[in-house]
Amino acid sequence: MRKLTFLLRPSWLILALVVVAFAYLCFTILAPWQLNKNTSTEHRNQLIADSVQADPVAVTDILAGDPTTHTEWRKVTATGTFLPDSTVLVRLRHLDGAPGYAVLAAFRLDDGRTLLVDRGLVAAVDGTRPPEIAEAPVGAQRIEARVRASEGVVPDKAPSTQDGFRQVYTIDTAQESTVLGTPLTPIPTGTDKGGYLQLAENQPGAFTPVPLPQLDAGPYLSYGLQWLAFGVMAPLGLGYFVFAEMRARRRERGEAVPDVTDQPAETSEASTTEARLADRYGRTR
């Protein structure tokens, strides 16, 4: 055990703590983080793929359904009217790689409940200001859309009024309800975020629709496996350095160090004996 006392030196203790902490982070935080992202991406892709094949259902069925059921990306239909003067713009959006805005409006169902609707994207003028935006059509409308979950809010980016439009930074049913001063009914999405409607192409009042995400799982699975591999390799690397240090110390003390090559035992023993005799009596020519 005395041969291992060098491991109690501060440098070795610090190295061991770093390795243990790194391996712990790999197994408990970094790898699960990437693997969970892979799971959620696969779940989202499956929901989108299922929605493409499914027929649209009435949004009132979703509103009356189980709130724990995942409904995001479902195609729905709704009948009612757009509320006048309910346009809200979402900043920092992009259309064909250029700056743009998302256009929101309130849609009142025939039963009196009001939903938030994303009418689509418009390009910014000179990349800095909104264009002229036509009001949503008046009168009774039947629209087809997808259910989307609210994005949440950015605490340090409050809603504002600029260029004659109410503007926000995210699509969030609760925030837009406050901005419009109109109670909006959040659509159950199976999460803690109330949903809204995203208009499909060629619908009444629609602009350029937001494209569906690509059904690509991304690199999250490989990243997760890499972090698991790093978590295994770190302790193995520490063990290798400890073994190398022990070999170096044995050489310094003049002890025989086993050769890593596959030499016969007789040859290795003879070489060791010859080395000791030469060290004591000198080498003969």
Side-chain angles (χ1 to χ4, degrees), residues 62-271:
I62 299 236
L63 292 171
D66 184 357
T68 63
T69 301
H70 287 278
T71 61
E72 188 172 18
W73 304 107
R74 288 287 304 275
K75 289 189 294 187
V76 298
T77 59
T79 56
T81 57
F82 285 100
L83 296 186
D85 193 30
S86 62
T87 298
V88 177
L89 301 185
V90 186
R91 300 169 59 87
L92 305 181
R93 303 289 152 144
H94 292 86
L95 177 60
D96 297 329
Y101 297 84
V103 183
L104 308 180
F107 187 81
R108 180 160 294 164
L109 300 176
D110 291 337
D111 63 10
R113 287 177 291 187
T114 304
L115 306 179
L116 181 66
V117 174
D118 178 3
R119 298 174 56 192
L121 300 168
V122 294
V125 177
D126 298 329
T128 58
R129 55 189 176 84
E132 294 291 332
I133 296 176
E135 287 288 334
V138 298
Q141 307 291 334
R142 182 186 182 276
I143 60 175
E144 184 174 312
R146 290 182 182 273
V147 176
R148 294 298 312 276
S150 293
E151 300 172 353
V153 298
V154 181
D156 58 345
K157 293 185 177 181
S160 62
T161 300
Q162 300 182 41
D163 300 311
F165 292 99
R166 290 162 291 199
Q167 300 188 23
V168 295
Y169 287 88
T170 60
I171 304 178
D172 185 83
T173 303
Q175 183 182 69
E176 270 64 279
S177 179
T178 302
V179 170
L180 291 172
T182 301
L184 298 175
T185 300
I187 302 174
T189 60
T191 67
D192 58 350
K193 297 178 180 179
Y196 61 95
L197 297 182
Q198 187 176 81
L199 281 184
E201 191 175 10
N202 298 324
Q203 295 300 304
F207 295 104
T208 303
V210 178
L212 291 175
Q214 294 184 353
L215 300 184
D216 183 2
Y220 306 122
L221 178 59
S222 60
Y223 288 166
L225 296 177
Q226 286 177 11
W227 283 120
L228 291 176
F230 292 155
V232 173
M233 292 167 59
L236 293 178
L238 177 61
Y240 171 79
F241 287 125
V242 171
F243 177 72
E245 180 69 14
M246 293 175 61
R247 285 175 57 89
R249 289 174 178 274
R250 291 178 67 178
R251 288 193 183 96
E252 291 177 359
R253 292 196 300 267
E255 298 182 9
V257 179
D259 196 351
V260 296
T261 60
D262 296 332
Q263 297 181 352
E266 296 81 358
T267 303
S268 178
E269 182 177 354
S271 299

